[in-house]
Amino acid sequence: MRIGKTGQILLADIGGTNARFALSQAESSNGDPTGPIDYVKVADFPTVREAIVDVLARRSSGGQPGRAVLAVAGPVTNNRCVMTNSPWVIDGNELQAALGFDSVHVLNDFEVVAWSLPALQPADLIPLGGQNGLPGEPLLVVGPGTGFGVSCLVERHGARLAVVTEAGHATLPAENEREERVIACLRKRLGHVSIERGALSGSGLQSLYEALAEVDGAQVPHRDPAAITKAALEGTCLVSRATLDMFCAILGSVAGNLAVTFGARGGVYIAGGIVPRFPEFLAASAFRARFEAKGRFQDYLRNIPTRLVIKPDASFVGLKMFAQHNPIDQIERTKRPLAGPAIHS
């Protein structure tokens, strides 16, 4: 026998190693989840279903949330994600049937960050130049981390859509002769040099470091991304410093390219796990100059604000925003077959 439904929504942020769960009141007007966040190790549960059952047994107070919205660190197809770095398969339709939810939505993690952008407050952000942004215009979020995530939130006539992309796999551009030499070096190792593998990710940062050392003929010790960042910030390694300088410059160029591609005049946001570790360095770098360096479109870029997202739980804000803008009755309507072509007089 199924327990009664509550007015709550189960929110989850699921990665390859850890998953976080929270319960939010459906009618709450703010973006933050109510109550504490439960941290779960993915390895402790064979399936996501068992993890959800465990969380709800401890948190649901005798009732079951009517809905679930789950963010996953991986590609989502037909409301389903096969996790790359864990055995979990997150299938929204299966979870809905097995656990008795009215609906379960599975979203890409960067799609969720895009949904959070309109609700973020000044304290959640560090400004990195530009003006105030135009109301109602697209909002873009880019994020170097394990990979390079890109999503754009578009609003038209009160409806919102987060566009999910694979922009990290586009070809890495060079803006000057030194970057051309570095990319040529990377091409010998990687073949296709993507934005993600060549620069704007943890492994990309390490690739830049090794390529710069080769281009400059420098002998440097092996360093992982964290060690490269630490040596750059401490000033103990010239190659590490040059690597972080180039990383920030390339981030500016790529963010500017994506801003003009999406027409993101509402603002460009930097998220992900890497850049929040060195906000002062980023602000003092060539990031903003390279963001604006688009020739005849420099004035267009100059007006677009760039901001660094520093809110740790921005994903939960995005999950809640998605749920608010996609009520269950609207979701059910989209599942119904069309009656036929509309006839306009």
Side-chain angles (χ1 to χ4, degrees), residues 6 15 20 24 27 86 98 101 106 118 132 135 170 175 216 230 232 278 297 303 306 321 336 339:
T6 71
R20 301 181 297 161
S24 177
E27 66 274 10
S86 87
F101 289 106
V106 181
N132 294 322
E175 292 285 329
D216 291 344
K230 184 173 185 290
F278 47 87
F297 256 58
N303 290 324
T306 46
M321 292 291 288
R336 297 172 190 162

Side-chain angles (χ1 to χ4, degrees), residues 87-175:
W88 284 9
V89 175
I90 295 89
D91 188 312
N93 298 333
E94 286 185 3
L95 290 172
Q96 180 178 340
L99 298 178
F101 289 106
D102 295 326
S103 70
V104 177
H105 260 77
V106 181
L107 308 176
N108 171 266
D109 55 352
F110 251 79
E111 179 181 2
V112 167
V113 177
W115 273 101
S116 77
L117 300 179
L120 296 180
Q121 302 301 309
D124 303 327
L125 306 165
I126 294 176
L128 296 169
Q131 305 301 315
N132 294 322
L134 297 179
E137 292 298 307
L139 303 173
L140 177 72
V141 59
V142 303
T146 303
F148 183 68
V150 177
S151 185
C152 186
L153 188 71
V154 181
E155 182 170 351
R156 290 292 182 269
H157 309 297
R160 287 177 180 170
L161 171 68
V163 180
V164 184
T165 83
E166 293 294 343
H169 301 292
T171 304
L172 177 66
E175 292 285 329

